[in-house]
Amino acid sequence: MEEPIGVTEAAQVPQQRSEQLLEAAAWYAQERHWDVFPGTWLEAAGGTERCSCGDAACAAPGAHATRPDWAGQATGSAAAARRMWSRQPGSSVLLPAGRTFDALDVPESAGFLALARAERMGLTPGPVTRTPDRRMLFFALPGAAAKTPELVRQLGWDAGAIGLVGRGEGDYVAGPPTRMAGRGAFQWARRPSRADLWLPDADELVGPLAYACAREAADARSRLS
């Protein structure tokens, strides 16, 4: 059942995208036990796409919540998810953080470096997404976002300064194959599987993530100097 959510290129999305979004939402709820809720969608406008919110300057066109009380929309039922997406099949698939997972958000280049480092260390990260804005989100146990700043500080860095951001309670993330207008699709850098039903804790992820983020931040400063 993983195939509907595994979009590898934005070019693959359009033809059956609505069906993929519905199936992805139901799969997340049923197989991963992640809550889901429908967000905005993309509308055709003069040969281009725009966000259903109507804001021409939308920061995340087609990939954000439709209303402030989005948390109350979320469901962990696959049947309820199917009903929601049947009403508006093109809706983005949004996942509330802080319930069954938190996410550690890092620059894409640092994320790939961290994945390679984790493999060398014998660590097993959980699912990891890539965003159209060149970020990567590492899924972790709830509470990871709150613990991360102190864990990073203990390693000698400042989480904000090196670009390591925690997404926890009150936040949501977009699930593949959600797409942003003009930017492409959210993708899996590391797909969910039965092997990672138990997510890693912050303590397991912060070491390689902080090292990678600090290294990338230092490289960026040296390029500017």
Side-chain angles (χ1 to χ4, degrees), residues 60-207:
H64 65 86
T66 59
R67 60 195 207 196
D69 62 342
W70 56 264
Q73 289 182 279
T75 180
S77 162
R82 288 182 181 277
R83 288 194 296 272
M84 288 179 178
W85 269 267
S86 293
R87 290 194 289 268
Q88 180 49 255
S91 297
S92 51
V93 180
L94 303 180
L95 314 171
R99 299 185 181 188
T100 51
F101 69 85
D102 280 6
L104 301 183
D105 182 342
V106 302
E108 185 180 77
S109 53
F112 280 119
L113 178 61
L115 282 174
R117 186 173 175 82
E119 185 176 346
R120 289 196 300 272
M121 295 169 66
L123 303 176
T124 305
V128 182
T129 62
R130 296 172 63 191
T131 80
D133 292 328
R134 301 184 66 81
R135 303 283 297 184
M136 290 176 71
L137 278 71
F138 287 68
F139 284 47
L141 287 173
K147 289 196 269 186
T148 291
E150 176 58 21
L151 290 173
V152 175
R153 189 194 66 77
Q154 291 173 11
L155 294 172
W157 294 297
D158 176 85
I162 61 175
L164 204 172
V165 181
R167 307 281 180 202
E169 188 174 358
D171 296 321
Y172 59 81
V173 303
T178 295
R179 187 163 56 94
M180 285 203 291
R183 303 184 205 176
F186 292 82
Q187 305 173 25
W188 287 111
R190 193 172 190 278
R191 293 172 181 264
S193 71
R194 294 194 178 278
D196 58 25
L197 289 176
W198 296 101
L199 297 174
D201 199 358
D203 308 70
E204 301 171 68
L205 290 176
V206 162

Side-chain angles (χ1 to χ4, degrees), residues 15-83:
Q15 253 189 352
Q16 298 180 346
R17 182 167 171 270
S18 294
E19 181 183 341
Q20 289 180 339
L21 289 163
L22 185 153
E23 293 301 326
W27 191 90
Y28 292 140
Q30 181 170 321
E31 300 296 331
R32 298 300 303 195
H33 306 294
W34 294 340
D35 284 1
V36 297
F37 70 97
T40 53
W41 56 92
L42 297 176
E43 298 177 334
T48 61
E49 290 178 313
R50 68 181 179 191
C51 186
S52 61
C53 73
D55 182 356
C58 181
H64 65 86
T66 59
R67 60 195 207 196
D69 62 342
W70 56 264
Q73 289 182 279
T75 180
S77 162
R82 288 182 181 277
R83 288 194 296 272

